[in-house]
Amino acid sequence: MEKSLARSLEVTIISAEDLRINHRSIKKNAFVTVQTDPNNSRSTNMDTEGASYPSWNEKLELALPSYVKHIRVDVKCKTSSGERTIGSANIPLTDFLDDYIPPNCLHFLSYRLREHDGDRNGIVNISIRLNAPDYVPRALPSLTVQAGYRNSNACGWMPSSRIQTPYNNSRGSFAIGIPVSKGYIV
Amino acid sequence: MGGCFSDTRGGQQAVGGGVHQPTTPFKRGDGDNNNNNNNDAVDMFFRSRGITALFTSLELSFTAAKLRDMDILSKSDPMAVVYVKSRTGTLEEIGRTEVLMNTLDPVWIRKVSIDYHFETVQPLVFHIFDVDTKYHSLPAKALKLDEQDFLGEASCVLSEIVTKRDKSMTLNLQGKNGHSGMKRLGTITVHAEETVASRQAVEILFRCSNLENKDLFSRSDPFLRISRIVESGASIPICKTEVVNNNLNPTWKPVSLTMQQFGTKDNPLIVECFDFNSSGNHELIGTLQQSVADLERLYREKSGVNYQIPSSVRKQHMKVTLKGQLFVDGFSEKTIFSFLDYISSGYELNFMVAVDFTASNGNPHLPDSLHYIDPSGRYNAYQQAIFEVGEVIQFYDYDKHFPAWGFGGRTKEGVVSHCFNLSGSASNPEAEGVNGIMAAYASALHNVALAGPTLFGQVINMAANIASQSVSYNQRKYFVLLILTDGVLTDLQETINSLVKASDLPLSILIVGVGGADFKQMEILDADDGKRLESSTGRIATRDIVQFVPMREVQGGQISVVQSLLEELPTQFLTYVRSRNIKPLNTSEGQTSGGQHPVQGVGA
């Protein structure tokens, strides 16, 4: 099972803001569908309390086929006339694969939602982490550090030794693990 | 917990329990409406805007060792007096300890309170006196200091104390006016402690069953209100849940109560259940009294407790027990850490500077140039901003090596660079200390020709790279980039794109506008109107990382605008660490190599 999911995404749908249908704030029943390709799609539950500012905090795991360049997030709403798509965001993989911090770190991302005719709608807030045991990141366009991703686990727990970087030349530098494994613990 | 009482967003939302709301230790008092236009979604990002009064109360306690012996037949009778030193050098007393009898190694009991302000440098001076026996009947406050024997003085800056791992600092005592002579005058140790009652909070998930129906055509719309009983017997509401519509067996979102709110675990709380009425005239469904300890027991035993209701308005004490019950489906304790908890456990703020070298500043050799360095030593606006911000932040940066760049200048190589090292070195951008930045800036003015255009992108990307490396290595650092500029950005959208991308990093950007140009663009970057920055691809900043002030406001005013620039930093820092659930380091994990900050247990 683990091996067949060589590359997968951990997408946490946190919340959305200012959702509207025909310029009117929605009342309830918003949910989010994420898909990496037509065969890999997951949805959250419906939010019943947040009205046009729903929150879900649901973690969805999706396979990430190698040819995929974008993932699609659709914010939808169940109304009396059926399901309607409020707005969508196309997230380029580069936003978290080529970001400043390694892809296996938790990335907090927010996107403007667009309606199918291109009109602006609300905002969706998510966090994404790549699960890829053998992921080799591109070289950092860094100042002096070449050993950038030597410890592929750097964003997980506790590299056991101190690692030198150009900006910790002497005292007070720590290489202590920061538990960034979870998004919001309240 | 702020916002618990904010009656906004149509009544029902108003009662929101506010679990995800940031509890900032810099906020004085509860119930301020700082999230009135916000919502759970935004709260998720712990955006805590509009918080004023960014300060923390500290208590200073003192011990001294090896004091000079002034009395002939016995040892000295010491007392410590604490002063704040103003910018002009005058001393203002903020408190004194009691007089201890006959000791050269006093451990004073009485503490001295001081408000810690992140954004200012707060120099402190400590004087120790030997109080003559004939004055011992007088209270310490009434003692005239010029009649006492002076045992020594010491001084430091408050930030130096709070950045120490155990928030303690030992200083050598000196004679009057800094003359120590040959004699050893002993030492004084100052310890700072936050006066928050506790960092503890509990999160409780409430559920009710079989509530009475109060509505005619539908079921009740219940919500809970929790109040604390104070000594006088009155009750003070501390929290409300959201309204669950049309439900007699409701479950609410978790409610978070801080120790400041509920007092002790045994302090009785009143948990009232109301039927929401849009007129505001909510009808009481039932009431009951339970302490936090009781609620915890309910959770463990999975048992419910019955609601009661006064049998009539007149006989308040006669209660009828109802069928409706309250259950606790979740109970957890958590700790809310303050800015100082992180700082004193070894989290650093690393300072970086970028200076505008575009031609619009004017020829640096002419006095009307913004870059003119006055031979009299009077600072130009750039120097003033570097100095004022650097002076505050340097205490939070252990090695005091500050990367310093310029942008928009033509370097010796003859090309216009949008990120060059002020030091002139090709590889090392760092300057040592604030004075090092000043020197590098002055030398760069000689070696770099002013050019243009004004582009921030490269400087921001450079800072973001440094910050991201720190994240990759799990370092406990937060970065502060100070950008000083005189003018209008050529690459506004590109700058926004860089900022949006950097908003996920441990980085804050302070922009100071120098000169009289129109800084409308900077206000856009600042995003203080609540609009989040949006990149050209539709990606949106996850949090606000930019602060802007025009320097012209700095001059003249009593309180420096640079301070207002720095004021929000602790909040931005907390937003970052809390959203990632980063905890302060405690105890032995944080091994430093220098020994300047010995590892000690931090009571976090």
Side-chain angles (χ1 to χ4, degrees):
Chain A
M1 182 64 192
E2 284 299 324
K3 276 187 181 156
S4 65
L5 289 175
R7 207 163 77 130
S8 70
L9 286 180
E10 216 176 271
V11 182
T12 303
I13 306 296
I14 300 167
S15 61
E17 302 172 26
D18 193 19
L19 300 181
R20 286 162 283 123
I21 291 180
N22 299 332
H23 306 290
R24 292 173 55 182
S25 295
I26 67 158
K27 293 281 190 299
K28 57 178 176 180
N29 294 345
F31 65 102
V32 177
T33 302
V34 184
Q35 67 170 43
T36 49
D37 75 352
N39 301 322
N40 286 296
S41 152
R42 297 280 312 274
S43 294
T44 66
N45 293 316
M46 272 190 296
D47 173 271
T48 53
E49 287 151 351
S52 60
Y53 287 77
S55 61
W56 298 277
N57 268 316
E58 273 184 59
K59 193 191 279 183
L60 309 174
E61 227 177 297
L62 293 105
L64 186 62
S66 54
Y67 56 84
V68 169
K69 294 277 178 282
H70 290 83
I71 58 175
R72 186 179 173 86
V73 174
D74 293 300
V75 180
K76 301 177 183 176
C77 183
K78 196 175 172 205
T79 64
S80 49
S81 54
E83 277 179 17
R84 289 191 57 166
T85 298
I86 296 170
S88 311
N90 260 324
I91 303 174
L93 255 49
T94 50
D95 276 6
F96 49 93
L97 292 187
D98 292 339
D99 196 19
Y100 291 119
I101 51 179
N104 56 334
C105 287
L106 200 59
H107 292 251
F108 287 78
L109 301 166
S110 300
Y111 292 92
R112 172 68 60 192
L113 296 169
R114 294 278 175 181
E115 295 168 12
H116 57 86
D117 57 3
D119 281 358
R120 292 154 64 95
N121 206 299
I123 292 172
V124 64
N125 301 312
I126 63 175
S127 72
I128 298 189
R129 178 211 303 278
L130 178 75
N131 286 326
D134 51 353
Y135 181 76
V136 181
R138 81 203 154 89
L140 245 196
S142 71
L143 310 162
T144 46
V145 174
Q146 263 85 46
Y149 292 105
R150 186 176 51 198
N151 187 341
S152 67
N153 209 17
C155 265
W157 293 82
M158 305 271 161
S160 55
S161 61
R162 293 177 64 229
I163 304 165
Q164 288 296 332
T165 74
Y167 290 101
N168 70 347
N169 3 26
S170 60
R171 295 177 293 264
S173 54
F174 306 109
I176 299 302
I178 302 167
V180 289
S181 58
K182 289 177 186 169
Y184 292 103
I185 310 225
V186 287
Chain B
M1 189 128 261
C4 278
F5 306 113
S6 61
D7 280 339
T8 52
R9 293 196 59 215
Q12 296 202 358
Q13 286 286 323
V15 238
V19 180
H20 305 293
Q21 284 159 1
T23 306
T24 151
F26 298 97
K27 198 157 62 188
R28 306 284 289 186
D30 291 317
D32 55 337
N33 269 345
N34 75 70
N35 342 20
N36 48 1
N37 289 319
N38 291 4
N39 47 74
D40 280 353
V42 180
D43 290 339
M44 284 302 191
F45 282 80
F46 294 106
R47 290 157 59 91
S48 39
R49 309 202 137 276
I51 294 162
T52 52
L54 294 170
F55 62 89
T56 308
S57 284
L58 294 180
E59 274 189 339
L60 303 178
S61 52
F62 307 90
T63 61
K66 297 189 177 126
L67 293 178
R68 210 149 41 108
D69 199 353
M70 300 293 279
D71 296 3
I72 299 159
L73 294 174
S74 66
K75 298 195 179 90
S76 295
D77 304 316
M79 171 181 78
V81 184
V82 187
Y83 303 89
V84 171
K85 195 181 194 172
S86 73
R87 287 212 160 233
T88 56
T90 53
L91 298 183
E92 185 197 340
E93 181 179 332
I94 57 165
R96 51 179 79 173
T97 66
E98 74 277 18
V99 179
L100 289 181
M101 304 290 203
N102 196 21
T103 176
L104 299 181
D105 302 287
V107 178
W108 287 285
I109 308 282
R110 190 174 300 149
K111 317 247 186 308
V112 173
S113 299
I114 184 168
D115 288 333
Y116 161 77
H117 294 264
F118 168 77
E119 69 280 6
T120 54
V121 178
Q122 297 171 275
L124 301 175
V125 177
F126 312 100
H127 287 181
I128 299 183
F129 294 93
D130 173 30
V131 176
D132 200 292
T133 328
K134 68 182 177 215
Y135 298 111
H136 282 184
S137 56
L138 286 171
K141 270 186 188 160
L143 291 171
K144 288 202 178 109
L145 296 176
D146 48 10
E147 292 168 352
Q148 316 304 331
D149 289 326
F150 185 75
L151 290 181
E153 69 173 359
S155 57
C156 71
V157 171
L158 187 56
S159 330
E160 292 181 287
I161 305 174
V162 298
T163 50
K164 292 282 177 290
R165 307 233 48 205
D166 56 354
K167 293 190 205 131
S168 283
M169 187 162 187
T170 300
L171 303 160
N172 285 322
L173 289 168
Q174 300 187 310
K176 264 265 189 286
N177 307 321
H179 300 301
S180 62
M182 297 302 288
K183 291 187 211 110
R184 291 200 163 270
L185 299 179
T187 59
I188 180 170
T189 301
V190 189
H191 176 71
E193 197 68 50
E194 267 181 85
T195 49
V196 288
S198 168
R199 295 168 181 82
Q200 295 305 311
V202 292
E203 190 173 297
I204 306 172
L205 188 63
F206 286 112
R207 170 171 66 87
C208 281
S209 69
N210 295 316
L211 291 177
E212 198 185 337
N213 199 3
K214 295 283 186 186
D215 292 3
L216 211 50
F217 299 108
S218 66
R219 287 178 289 255
S220 298
D221 307 318
F223 71 93
L224 298 178
R225 185 175 77 179
I226 301 162
S227 311
R228 175 170 63 141
I229 299 179
V230 292
E231 274 170 30
S232 65
S235 63
I236 299 173
I238 52 176
C239 198
K240 287 190 274 191
T241 67
E242 78 278 10
V243 176
V244 176
N245 277 328
N246 198 21
N247 193 334
L248 301 180
N249 301 293
T251 299
W252 291 275
K253 286 181 181 172
V255 168
S256 192
L257 302 174
T258 65
M259 194 88 106
Q260 276 104 316
Q261 288 174 319
F262 65 76
T264 69
K265 274 191 153 182
D266 297 318
N267 198 1
L269 302 177
I270 297 177
V271 186
E272 292 162 300
C273 184
F274 289 94
D275 175 29
F276 180 85
N277 193 323
S278 51
S279 71
N281 197 5
H282 312 308
E283 194 171 353
L284 184 67
I285 296 176
T287 179
L288 52 81
Q289 189 172 318
Q290 297 276 295
S291 67
V292 170
D294 294 334
L295 294 171
E296 187 176 8
R297 203 188 58 247
L298 288 181
Y299 168 68
R300 276 203 314 272
E301 295 171 358
K302 298 195 187 323
S303 55
V305 55
N306 286 79
Y307 267 104
Q308 296 183 315
I309 194 152
S311 58
S312 72
V313 182
R314 293 208 181 149
K315 297 178 185 171
Q316 280 285 342
H317 58 283
M318 297 283 286
K319 298 263 173 85
V320 176
T321 301
L322 303 169
K323 234 170 53 187
Q325 281 191 312
L326 176 80
F327 294 86
V328 178
D329 283 354
F331 185 98
S332 58
E333 295 186 46
K334 57 178 184 172
T335 310
I336 295 165
F337 296 106
S338 71
F339 178 65
L340 288 183
D341 288 333
Y342 288 94
I343 292 302
S344 65
S345 77
Y347 227 111
E348 276 187 75
L349 300 183
N350 283 28
F351 184 42
M352 309 185 266
V353 182
V355 180
D356 188 331
F357 275 72
T358 55
S360 50
N361 286 287
N363 183 347
H365 301 296
L366 303 175
D368 62 347
S369 166
L370 295 167
H371 276 312
Y372 181 68
I373 293 186
D374 193 328
S376 75
R378 213 181 76 91
Y379 283 162
N380 68 31
Y382 284 97
Q383 289 171 309
Q384 196 181 338
I386 294 171
F387 180 77
E388 287 194 25
V389 176
E391 184 190 43
V392 170
I393 297 188
Q394 58 173 337
F395 296 107
Y396 303 86
D397 190 323
Y398 290 166
D399 66 17
K400 297 185 175 40
H401 287 211
F402 308 122
W405 302 291
F407 56 90
R410 192 182 303 279
T411 58
K412 274 184 176 163
E413 288 78 43
V415 288
V416 173
S417 168
H418 299 293
C419 186
F420 57 89
N421 299 335
L422 288 188
S423 63
S425 152
S427 57
N428 184 10
E430 290 182 344
E432 261 194 67
V434 178
N435 288 334
I437 304 175
M438 300 294 235
Y441 164 68
S443 77
L445 283 175
H446 283 112
N447 300 324
V448 178
L450 304 189
T454 312
L455 305 176
F456 284 0
Q458 289 192 22
V459 165
I460 293 171
N461 291 345
M462 185 64 94
N465 263 320
I466 292 174
S468 68
Q469 283 169 14
S470 162
V471 173
S472 305
Y473 289 123
N474 282 329
Q475 287 173 339
R476 312 206 126 222
K477 292 184 176 183
Y478 191 89
F479 294 84
V480 180
L481 169 64
L482 172 67
I483 300 180
L484 304 166
T485 181
D486 82 319
V488 182
L489 275 177
T490 318
D491 63 339
L492 183 64
Q493 188 57 53
E494 213 178 294
T495 301
I496 291 175
N497 292 354
S498 297
L499 289 171
V500 168
K501 215 178 157 194
S503 66
D504 197 20
L505 292 170
L507 173 68
S508 284
I509 297 173
L510 312 175
I511 302 175
V512 173
V514 175
D518 178 11
F519 292 114
K520 247 191 216 107
Q521 287 176 325
M522 303 300 167
E523 308 281 358
I524 296 173
L525 297 181
D526 192 334
D528 258 355
D529 54 0
K531 270 196 203 127
R532 289 154 70 180
L533 293 179
E534 186 165 342
S535 80
S536 44
T537 62
R539 188 170 159 188
I540 288 175
T542 50
R543 61 194 189 97
D544 176 20
I545 62 167
V546 179
Q547 277 301 306
F548 166 76
V549 285
M551 193 70 182
R552 57 173 168 263
E553 287 177 23
V554 174
Q555 278 132 10
Q558 264 284 313
I559 291 177
S560 157
V561 171
V562 170
Q563 288 173 18
S564 74
L565 191 64
L566 290 168
E567 242 173 25
E568 281 195 45
L569 259 187
T571 313
Q572 292 188 354
F573 172 89
L574 286 174
T575 309
Y576 178 82
V577 290
R578 285 184 182 157
S579 69
R580 278 155 187 75
N581 199 33
I582 297 170
K583 300 268 191 300
L585 276 185
N586 50 13
T587 65
S588 57
E589 285 172 296
Q591 183 67 52
T592 59
S593 54
Q596 188 194 355
H597 300 271
V599 177
Q600 302 227 1
V602 177

